[in-house]
Amino acid sequence: MTDALSLVDDWGPEKIVVVSHRRTGMKGVLVIDNTARGVGKGGTRMSPTVSVVEVARLARVMTWKWAGVDLFYGGAKAGIAADPASPDKEAILRAFARALSNEVPREYVMGLDMGLTEDDAAIIQDELGDRGTAVGTPAHLGGVAYDKLGVTGYGVAEAADAAAQHLRLPLSGARVAIQGFGAVGHAAALRFAELGATIVAVSSARGALHAPTGLDVPTLQAAREEHGDDFVTRHPRGTVIPSGQELTVDCDILVPAALQDVIDETTAHQIKAKLVVEGANLPTSPQAQSVLAERGITVLPDFVANAGGVVAAAFAMDARYSGFRPETPAIFETISKRLRANAVTVLEEAQRRSTTPHIAGRSLAEDRVRAAMRAKGRLQA
C-alpha cells in the first residue's frame, strides 16, 4: 500500500482527499495537484481499479497540460472505484459528489473521464445544486459535449499535422495507426482522413484491424456504432490481429489513444513509425521515450497532443454560470491554433536543448507553474 505522503514533491499534490460511503459502497479519491495558476480542473473517472497513485499521476499530467497550453487552471483529478456499468452507478456518483462538497466547486470542478457520461455531469450538478460544480454536461443543458464534438481527437490530429510538417513528413498520404477507436481515437481518425492521411490500423478491446492499403473511416465508424467493440471482427476489410500489435505495424504515424502504460522499453524497440503522437494520457514509459529518441523516432507528449479537451474545458468553465452556450466554431479554432503552435514550440525546444520533447515540454510548463508559485509566495526566497 502506497503512503500518500510519499507522493508529495516540489509541485504537489496540495491535497489528497479519500472518501467513502458505507451504504452505497462508494470509495473514491480527489487529488488536487497544483493550483498556482488557478482552481483545480480535471476529469473524474470511474473504474473498479482506480487507485490513489493512478489519480495522482493523472492530476500531475493536468498540471502540465493546463500550463502547456497557457490556460489558467490547476492540475487535479478524481476517481471513483466502481463499475460504471453498475445499476447503482447514480447512487454511487451522488454519494461521491456529496462527500466532496467542501472541495467542489471552490477548489475543484468535476469533469468527464473514463466511465462517466454527459448525463453523469448533470447528475453531479443536480446533487450539489450548483451549475458550477461540473462541466461536460449535455448541450441541451448549456454544456460543451466533448465526446460528441470529438474535440480531443480533433486536437490530436491537428497537433500531429503540425508536428509532421515540422519533421518534413507530409500528412497527405501518411499511414496512421491508431490504438483505440473510442471518443478520442475515432475523432482523430476522422480528422486525419480529412487532412489526407491513410488509416492503416485501429483497435478496440476485442482486437485490432490492419489494412496496409487503408481503412475507410466512415465505414469503421458505422460498424462501431452497430457492433460496439466487436466492429474489428465484423468489418469486411482488413486483417484482424491481436490487441497490441497495432502499435508495431508498418506506419508513418502511431497514435496510442486508448490506455496508459502501453508502450514500454520492449515495445519501443519494435515500433516502426517515424512519429508517435500521444492521444492517451501516459501511454509511454520514460524508458520507452529514451529508446524511441535513440532510434530517431519523435514523440509528441500527451500534455501537448491531447490538450484539445482542456481547451474545450476552458470554454466550458467560462460558461458554467452563463446563459449563453459557447460557440462551437470558436472552440475548434482555438484548439487548432493553440495545439499546432504548442507542438512546434515543444519540438523546437527539444532540438535546442538536445533532449526529448517530453523533457522539453515539461520544462516549459514547469517554468510557467514555478513563476506562478513564486508570484504567490509559495516558494522559499
Side-chain angles (χ1 to χ4, degrees):
M1 184 176 181
T2 301
D3 178 2
L5 290 176
S6 69
L7 299 174
V8 178
D9 59 18
D10 291 342
W11 307 103
E14 296 173 5
K15 179 182 284 192
I16 299 175
V17 183
V18 176
V19 295
S20 64
H21 185 253
R22 183 165 298 178
R23 184 171 180 179
T24 60
M26 181 276 293
K27 294 187 292 183
V29 60
L30 165 64
V31 177
I32 299 175
D33 185 58
N34 189 298
T35 59
R37 287 172 58 91
V39 65
K41 176 70 194 78
T44 303
R45 64 174 42 189
M46 181 180 285
S47 166
T49 60
V50 159
S51 70
V52 174
V53 172
E54 172 191 1
V55 175
R57 289 178 70 197
L58 293 168
R60 177 60 52 82
V61 171
M62 291 305 302
T63 296
W64 304 142
K65 198 174 292 189
W66 284 118
V69 292
D70 202 19
L71 293 170
F72 294 96
Y73 294 106
K77 203 81 173 182
I80 307 169
D83 183 353
S86 168
D88 300 320
K89 180 181 183 181
E90 181 177 337
I92 292 170
L93 189 62
R94 288 182 180 276
F96 182 70
R98 290 195 303 274
L100 291 177
S101 59
N102 288 335
E103 288 76 22
V104 179
R106 187 170 63 88
E107 298 177 75
Y108 170 64
V109 176
M110 293 191 182
L112 301 182
D113 195 20
M114 183 174 66
L116 294 192
T117 68
E118 294 171 6
D119 286 346
D120 292 327
I123 285 170
I124 292 168
Q125 288 186 353
D126 181 65
E127 182 62 33
L128 297 180
D130 186 342
R131 284 183 62 194
T133 56
V135 297
T137 53
H140 57 262
L141 291 179
V144 177
Y146 309 136
D147 289 353
K148 288 182 180 178
L149 291 173
V151 291
T152 302
Y154 174 86
V156 167
E158 291 288 296
D161 187 24
Q165 289 182 31
H166 180 76
L167 298 173
R168 294 182 172 83
L169 172 64
L171 196 62
S172 179
R175 298 163 301 159
V176 179
I178 302 176
Q179 182 185 53
F181 204 67
V184 177
H186 98 268
L190 286 169
R191 184 57 179 161
F192 272 119
E194 290 174 353
L195 293 170
T198 300
I199 307 301
V200 297
V202 297
S203 70
S204 75
R206 302 294 187 187
L209 191 63
H210 179 219
T213 58
L215 294 160
D216 182 69
V217 177
T219 302
L220 284 174
Q221 188 174 12
R224 174 177 171 267
E225 291 173 357
E226 182 178 356
H227 303 294
D229 283 344
D230 287 323
F231 81 93
V232 294
T233 62
R234 304 287 188 90
H235 197 271
R237 189 172 181 182
T239 302
V240 178
I241 58 177
S243 292
Q245 286 191 13
E246 71 277 11
L247 295 170
T248 58
V249 301
D250 192 14
C251 63
D252 300 303
I253 300 173
L254 172 64
V255 182
L259 302 171
Q260 61 196 51
D261 300 321
V262 294
I263 299 177
D264 57 15
E265 186 174 0
T266 300
T267 306
H269 281 289
Q270 301 169 4
I271 287 174
K272 300 176 180 65
K274 302 178 183 70
L275 171 64
V276 176
V277 181
E278 294 187 330
N281 288 325
L282 305 170
T284 60
S285 70
Q287 295 80 10
Q289 293 160 19
S290 296
V291 169
L292 292 168
E294 290 169 3
R295 296 183 60 211
I297 299 172
T298 300
V299 182
L300 194 64
D302 49 1
F303 55 87
V304 176
N306 69 19
V310 303
V311 174
F315 278 89
M317 288 288 284
D318 278 351
R320 282 181 299 157
Y321 295 110
S322 173
F324 296 93
R325 184 180 292 109
E327 295 293 334
T328 300
I331 295 175
F332 280 99
E333 180 182 349
T334 305
I335 289 172
S336 178
K337 182 178 179 180
R338 284 187 178 260
L339 267 63
R340 283 178 172 274
N342 206 29
V344 173
T345 296
V346 168
L347 295 183
E348 288 179 342
E349 188 70 7
Q351 289 177 328
R352 188 181 71 82
R353 299 189 184 196
S354 298
T355 188
T356 67
H358 275 85
I359 294 174
R362 192 164 59 246
S363 294
L364 290 170
E366 286 176 355
D367 289 346
R368 290 170 179 167
V369 175
R370 187 182 293 110
M373 293 174 71
R374 184 176 292 111
K376 292 183 174 181
R378 297 187 182 186
L379 296 177
Q380 290 183 346

